[in-house]
Amino acid sequence: MNAMTTGFPILTLLTVLPLIGAVIALFAGRHARAVAIITALVCLIVSLIIWTRLPADGSIGLVELHNWAPSLGVEYHLGVDGLGALMLVLSAIVTLMSIDAAHRVHHMPGLFFGLVLMLEAGLFGSFTALNFFHWFLFWELSLIPAFFLIKLWGGPRRGPAATQFLVYTMAGSVALLVSFLAVFLSTGGANAPGTMDFVELAQLASSGVLTQMVTAHLGAVMPWLAIGVLAGFAVKVPLMPFHTWLPAAYAEAPSPVTMLLTGAMSKMGVYGLLRIAIPVFGVQIAAMRTPLLVLAVITVVMGAWAAAAQKDLKRVFAYSSVNHLGYCLLAIFALAVPAPGAAAQASQAAALNGVILQMFNHGLTAATIFWFMAIIQMRSGGLRGIDDFGGLRKPAPILAGLMGIALFSSLGLPGLNSFVSEFLIFRGVFPLSWVAATISVLGLLITAAVLLTVIQKVFNGPVPEHWAKFPDLHHAEWMALAPVIILMFLVGLVPQVILGNINPTAVHLLAHWRF
């Protein structure tokens, strides 16, 4: 394929910027955080420019395509649509929030902020790459800094938590690699290499040719390849029962790093399902729809139930994150309906819009909650038990008010961002699978009870004597948090600011998927 680039290579620039910033931060000493903030701000500006330059029809734009290793079917192929661009904006926002929350990092700050920016580059690369080889490099690249950020700056049990995180995610990566190697070998001919290009593979899958090619070369293994790909992404989201690494990793990682794990990295799994698994293995996933829906419902309900059983606030929000991403999985598996009619197509579009918006909303809200956790831990000497506090609303009303908004956003209160995406998901899923949707409503009820309990025990009631002078947010802190809170209201009240770009993408994706 001939080299091709549509205009200025802005996607490459976005991926390279944090790598340059990481190198500078590594040698910047006590100025490393300032370097990281400047880099993250520039990346946010570039990601917003990308958001405004998407094709109106929802197709992939800003394409960059060059030969890399033609004999291996490897091309440098980048491009984004509303899905990818929204994840770029989310990654940029969450990274900036994480860096701001990490102002108390004094141990090897250059390395810490260098790893954060390296992780951001991995996120950008994963959300823009359209060739498996290229995408897989960045998928793996994001694991390395995350492992060391947990291992070097985490809590007392950071070693086992970091190891478990790496082992689980690497196992998922191996499953992905094996499946795609099989596809690559099957799509090659006598005089031509196979293809690893997501766009080409999706076209082959939509016409049914891919299944024929794989079956001709390897036999009836397509369902097993689909299971391998699903397993790789299920670990990342995570889907129960592949979630056991998450509570320990979220709890032991420093809160600024947990913000990255829940706000951005967990979205890589959902993104992979939408960009890779469904387009390439849609028929096989549709055949497994019922057991997948069962696992999604378990993830929604048991994630909320597990959150209710926790006494450590970080573990409460870790399991709550499992629950909220379970809604995305519920919608993705529910929309895998073979030969849908007009009504089902409308439900599919609603569900897919909800999934994409939920990815953004959950990332924003969850990262904000863990930002507040970082603030509370800093003021309390590291305490984070749900019974360690009480009545903080009186000495710290601004902290209680702003964190309350973030918690109500996570609860799905109308007027805030998460309500819109969760409403769209259930609006789409009910007509497609009313049983799964009905049972999953239990997750909403349990989540509400959990978050209201947190508000009651942490902020209400009598103030213990030792918290009577608990410091409220100072000017710089609430000024930093204000834009995020405003964004929650903006998306909740005027969701079209995001839906206007992602709805064409949802319609375009559904038109090219084959179940």
Side-chain angles (χ1 to χ4, degrees):
M1 190 173 295
N2 295 326
M4 179 184 71
T5 300
T6 304
F8 181 78
I10 192 170
L11 299 182
T12 296
L13 173 67
L14 181 64
T15 306
V16 171
L17 277 173
L19 292 176
I20 296 173
V23 173
I24 298 173
L26 192 61
F27 300 100
R30 60 189 180 90
H31 301 294
R33 181 168 174 268
V35 171
I37 287 177
I38 293 171
T39 304
L41 274 172
V42 174
C43 289
L44 177 57
I45 292 170
V46 175
S47 67
L48 290 172
I49 293 172
I50 292 170
W51 175 252
T52 63
R53 295 176 57 187
L54 297 176
D57 63 355
S59 61
I60 292 176
L62 302 176
V63 175
E64 301 174 33
L65 180 59
H66 304 279
N67 287 328
W68 189 348
S71 61
L72 298 176
V74 176
E75 295 161 342
Y76 183 80
H77 190 187
L78 306 183
V80 289
D81 52 12
L83 167 62
L86 187 61
M87 292 303 98
L88 295 180
V89 174
L90 174 65
S91 300
I93 292 174
V94 171
T95 302
L96 185 58
M97 291 167 59
S98 172
I99 294 169
D100 190 276
H103 61 278
R104 290 300 182 94
V105 174
H106 302 300
H107 174 58
M108 296 186 292
L111 180 59
F112 179 90
F113 291 108
L115 289 171
V116 168
L117 291 174
M118 183 179 172
L119 176 54
E120 183 178 35
L123 291 167
F124 289 156
S126 297
F127 293 136
T128 57
L130 296 177
N131 183 281
F132 178 80
F133 180 85
H134 179 199
W135 172 86
F136 194 73
L137 289 179
F138 282 100
W139 174 271
E140 293 297 292
L141 175 66
S142 66
L143 303 181
I144 299 169
F147 170 79
F148 283 110
L149 286 167
I150 299 171
K151 179 77 172 178
L152 298 178
W153 288 274
R157 294 185 54 80
R158 60 186 180 272
T163 301
Q164 189 178 23
F165 163 76
L166 187 66
V167 169
Y168 266 70
T169 48
M170 284 295 292
S173 297
V174 170
L176 280 168
L177 182 60
V178 170
S179 294
F180 268 88
L181 282 175
V183 170
F184 171 72
L185 293 174
S186 300
T187 53
N191 300 313
T195 181
M196 296 188 185
D197 188 90
F198 295 149
V199 176
E200 292 184 24
L201 289 174
Q203 291 172 348
L204 291 173
S206 65
S207 63
V209 173
L210 182 61
T211 300
Q212 296 173 9
M213 297 174 80
V214 171
T215 303
H217 281 77
L218 301 173
V221 299
M222 275 296 282
W224 295 105
L225 301 185
I227 290 173
V229 171
L230 285 171
F233 295 132
V235 169
K236 199 79 165 186
V237 176
L239 173 73
M240 287 188 175
F242 305 102
H243 71 289
T244 53
W245 63 269
L246 184 143
Y250 281 25
E252 296 303 321
S255 292
V257 176
T258 306
M259 292 166 66
L260 288 168
L261 294 176
T262 187
M265 284 195 71
S266 62
K267 309 307 175 292
M268 294 168 68
V270 183
Y271 175 86
L273 289 171
L274 297 178
R275 178 67 70 212
I276 303 170
I278 294 290
V280 180
F281 299 98
V283 173
Q284 290 72 35
I285 291 172
M288 296 182 282
R289 183 173 183 261
T290 299
L292 289 174
L293 277 173
V294 170
L295 291 178
V297 170
I298 290 173
T299 302
V300 169
V301 177
M302 295 308 297
W305 196 264
Q310 304 304 310
K311 296 299 182 183
D312 183 319
L313 283 169
K314 288 187 75 173
R315 284 184 172 267
V316 170
F317 299 129
Y319 278 109
S320 177
S321 181
V322 174
N323 158 262
H324 282 84
L325 288 172
Y327 297 132
C328 293
L329 297 170
L330 174 71
I332 290 171
F333 298 142
L335 62 79
V337 180
Q345 289 175 2
S347 297
Q348 286 179 319
L352 186 53
N353 272 288
V355 169
I356 300 173
L357 186 58
Q358 175 73 352
M359 292 165 70
F360 179 84
N361 287 338
H362 174 264
L364 183 71
T365 300
T368 304
I369 290 173
F370 279 105
W371 193 353
F372 281 111
M373 280 303 308
I375 293 170
I376 291 174
Q377 284 185 264
M378 180 183 67
R379 284 161 162 72
S380 65
L383 295 178
R384 63 190 198 201
I386 196 171
D387 298 317
D388 291 336
F389 304 97
L392 294 186
R393 179 178 58 84
K394 294 180 181 179
I398 300 176
L399 170 63
L402 294 183
M403 186 171 179
I405 292 172
L407 290 171
F408 278 119
S409 169
S410 182
L411 186 150
L413 188 73
L416 292 169
N417 55 328
S418 294
F419 170 78
V420 182
S421 51
E422 291 178 10
F423 174 82
L424 284 171
I425 285 174
F426 279 96
R427 154 65 183 88
V429 173
F430 260 105
L432 299 175
S433 179
W434 69 269
V435 174
T438 301
I439 299 173
S440 295
V441 169
L442 291 173
L444 292 174
L445 298 176
I446 299 170
T447 297
V450 170
L451 296 178
L452 290 174
T453 300
V454 170
I455 293 173
Q456 174 67 29
K457 290 195 171 186
V458 175
F459 296 114
N460 295 328
V463 184
E465 183 178 347
H466 56 284
W467 295 135
K469 295 183 178 180
F470 192 89
D472 202 354
L473 294 179
H474 55 68
H475 181 76
E477 288 175 326
W478 70 258
M479 285 293 288
L481 285 158
V484 182
I485 301 297
I486 291 172
L487 185 57
M488 291 181 186
F489 280 106
L490 178 64
V491 177
L493 297 173
V494 194
Q496 193 62 21
V497 295
I498 293 181
L499 288 174
N501 267 11
I502 65 175
N503 182 59
T505 294
V507 173
H508 185 271
L509 289 173
L510 287 167
H512 292 81
W513 287 349
R514 179 173 182 263
F515 295 115

